[in-house]
Amino acid sequence: MSDEDDGRVPLAHRVPDLGALELLLAVARHGSLGRAARELGITQPAASSRIRSMERQLGVALVDRSPRGSRLTDAGALVTDWARRVVEAAEAFDAGAQALRGRRDSRLRVAASMTIAEYLLPGWLIALRAERPGTAVSLMAGNSAMVARRLLAGEADLGFVEGLSVPEGLDGTPIGHDRLLVVAAPSHPWARRRAPLTPAELAATPLILRERGSGTRQVLDSALRQYGGLADPLLELASTTAVKAAAVSGAGPAVLSELAVTEELTARRLTAVPVEDVDLHRDLRAVWPTSHRPTGPARDLLTLTRRRPASG
C-alpha cells in the first residue's frame, strides 16, 4: 500500500533535510548557534530560522537559547544522536556515489564511422585528454551501422555517424557538416573533362566505393536512386583510406568525404570532378541510445565537438 493509499505523509516531508541535521550537530559541537552558523557558511538569522522550522516539523523544542549560548534540550540531545547516524549514512552514500562516478569517468568507449574516426576524432581526443588526463579512451571504427550496433549493445558510450539520419533506437545531434566529392587521378579522363558529370553518368559508372552500411554509401545511394541507382562497384572497400589509395593509384573514380581528400587535392594527386544537379551534402552526428543522454567523459567529448565544429 502506498503512502497516498494509507494517508501517510511521505518520509521526505516528515524528516528534516540533511542541511538542518548538520546544523543541529554543529550547535551540539560548539554550544553556540552563531559559531555553528559560521562553520556552515550561513547567517545567524538563517540558522535560527532553520532550527525553528525543524522544531515545528518535529513538534518538539530542540535548542534552548540564552545570552550565554545555545544548549540542546533533552529532546534535542536525542534527536542529535539520530541525526549523527543519518549524516554518517549520507556521507557513506556520497562516498559510494563518488566511487561510482570515478569508475565511470576512468574510461570512455567511442564508436565512430570511418571518416570521423580518421579525420576528426584524433583532434577531439587530444583536447579531451588535456581536460581529463585520467580517462582511458578506446575507439572502435567502422561504418555507421556498426556504430549503431555497438551503442545499442551497450558496448560504447558515445557514437559518431555520417549518414542521412539518426539510426533507429538512437538519439543524436548534428556536430558538423560534410559533402561528398567525386574524385579521380589526374590521368583519368574525368579529370580532364570540361563539362560537369550528369547524375545519370555518375550512376551508370562503376566506382570505387565504401561498403553498404557506410554513411558515404547511404548518401550516394539516396542521391542517385532517381537516376536508376548505382552501378555495380568497380571496387568495394571497407575503409576511407583504402578507397582513397585505390583512386590515387588510378584504379578508377571514387566518391569520398571532402574531409578525407583535402591533402590529395592540394597536392594534385586527385582531382575533384564536378557533378551537376545532385546534392551530396550530409550532416555529421553524435549519437547515443534513446533516453540515455551522455554523462561524464562522453558529455565532455560531445561538448568539445561543439567547440571545434567539423565542416567539409
Side-chain angles (χ1 to χ4, degrees), residues 138-154:
S138 61
L139 173 61
M140 297 161 278
N143 60 35
S144 295
M146 179 282 294
V147 172
R149 288 196 303 271
R150 294 282 194 177
L151 287 167
L152 293 172

Side-chain angles (χ1 to χ4, degrees), residues 158-217:
L158 185 64
F160 296 93
V161 296
E162 308 156 8
L164 291 169
S165 59
V166 176
E168 186 176 355
L170 304 179
D171 287 335
T173 185
I175 57 165
H177 308 282
D178 185 27
R179 65 171 174 158
L180 301 181
L181 298 179
V182 179
V183 294
S187 59
H188 192 276
W190 280 6
R192 298 186 294 273
R193 56 182 289 154
R194 295 180 180 277
L197 288 170
T198 66
E201 284 180 289
L202 182 61
T205 302
L207 302 168
I208 304 169
L209 295 173
R210 284 288 307 281
E211 78 286 5
R212 292 187 182 278
S214 71
T216 299
R217 188 71 172 268

Side-chain angles (χ1 to χ4, degrees), residues 8-307:
R8 294 173 60 203
V9 177
L11 186 63
H13 299 308
R14 291 183 284 128
V15 176
D17 63 39
L18 280 173
L21 296 180
E22 286 181 312
L23 174 61
L24 186 63
L25 291 174
V27 172
R29 280 195 302 275
H30 295 293
S32 165
L33 192 61
R35 286 198 294 272
R38 285 194 296 275
E39 178 186 320
L40 299 180
I42 60 177
T43 65
Q44 183 165 337
S48 295
S49 175
R50 185 169 289 185
I51 291 291
R52 286 195 298 271
S53 176
M54 185 164 38
E55 289 174 330
R56 286 194 299 272
Q57 185 178 22
L58 296 176
V60 294
L62 301 173
V63 178
D64 282 334
R65 303 162 187 82
S66 73
R68 293 187 300 277
S70 300
R71 183 183 64 83
L72 296 178
T73 65
D74 290 343
L78 185 58
V79 170
T80 298
D81 285 340
W82 298 337
R84 187 172 292 108
R85 281 177 264 170
V86 172
V87 170
E88 287 172 353
E91 289 171 344
F93 181 95
D94 181 55
Q98 286 187 43
L100 285 175
R101 288 193 296 271
R103 187 169 65 182
R104 178 203 67 190
D105 293 353
S106 68
R107 68 169 189 175
L108 173 61
R109 302 167 301 167
V110 180
S113 50
M114 294 301 300
T115 299
I116 295 176
E118 291 180 294
Y119 300 100
L120 294 173
L121 261 171
W124 294 337
L125 294 180
I126 289 170
L128 180 68
R129 184 168 182 80
E131 294 188 3
R132 283 185 173 269
T135 298
V137 180
S138 61
L139 173 61
M140 297 161 278
N143 60 35
S144 295
M146 179 282 294
V147 172
R149 288 196 303 271
R150 294 282 194 177
L151 287 167
L152 293 172
E155 297 169 355
D157 305 305
L158 185 64
F160 296 93
V161 296
E162 308 156 8
L164 291 169
S165 59
V166 176
E168 186 176 355
L170 304 179
D171 287 335
T173 185
I175 57 165
H177 308 282
D178 185 27
R179 65 171 174 158
L180 301 181
L181 298 179
V182 179
V183 294
S187 59
H188 192 276
W190 280 6
R192 298 186 294 273
R193 56 182 289 154
R194 295 180 180 277
L197 288 170
T198 66
E201 284 180 289
L202 182 61
T205 302
L207 302 168
I208 304 169
L209 295 173
R210 284 288 307 281
E211 78 286 5
R212 292 187 182 278
S214 71
T216 299
R217 188 71 172 268
Q218 291 172 15
V219 172
L220 195 58
D221 281 337
S222 176
L224 297 180
R225 188 171 294 126
Q226 62 180 307
Y227 301 101
L230 284 166
D232 290 338
L234 179 65
L235 291 171
E236 192 173 64
L237 303 171
S239 79
T240 300
T241 299
V243 172
K244 184 166 59 174
V248 169
S249 74
V255 179
L256 287 163
S257 163
E258 186 174 17
L259 291 166
V261 295
T262 300
E263 182 179 335
E264 286 72 21
L265 293 175
T266 301
R268 299 186 180 179
R269 293 194 295 272
L270 288 173
T271 300
V273 183
V275 185
E276 62 183 4
D277 299 328
V278 63
D279 183 10
L280 295 178
H281 288 80
R282 61 182 179 175
D283 287 332
L284 307 178
R285 292 182 174 87
V287 290
W288 54 87
T290 300
S291 302
H292 288 78
R293 187 83 183 173
T295 59
R299 180 193 58 225
D300 291 349
L301 179 56
L302 180 57
T303 300
L304 278 170
T305 67
R306 290 168 176 157
R307 288 189 217 150

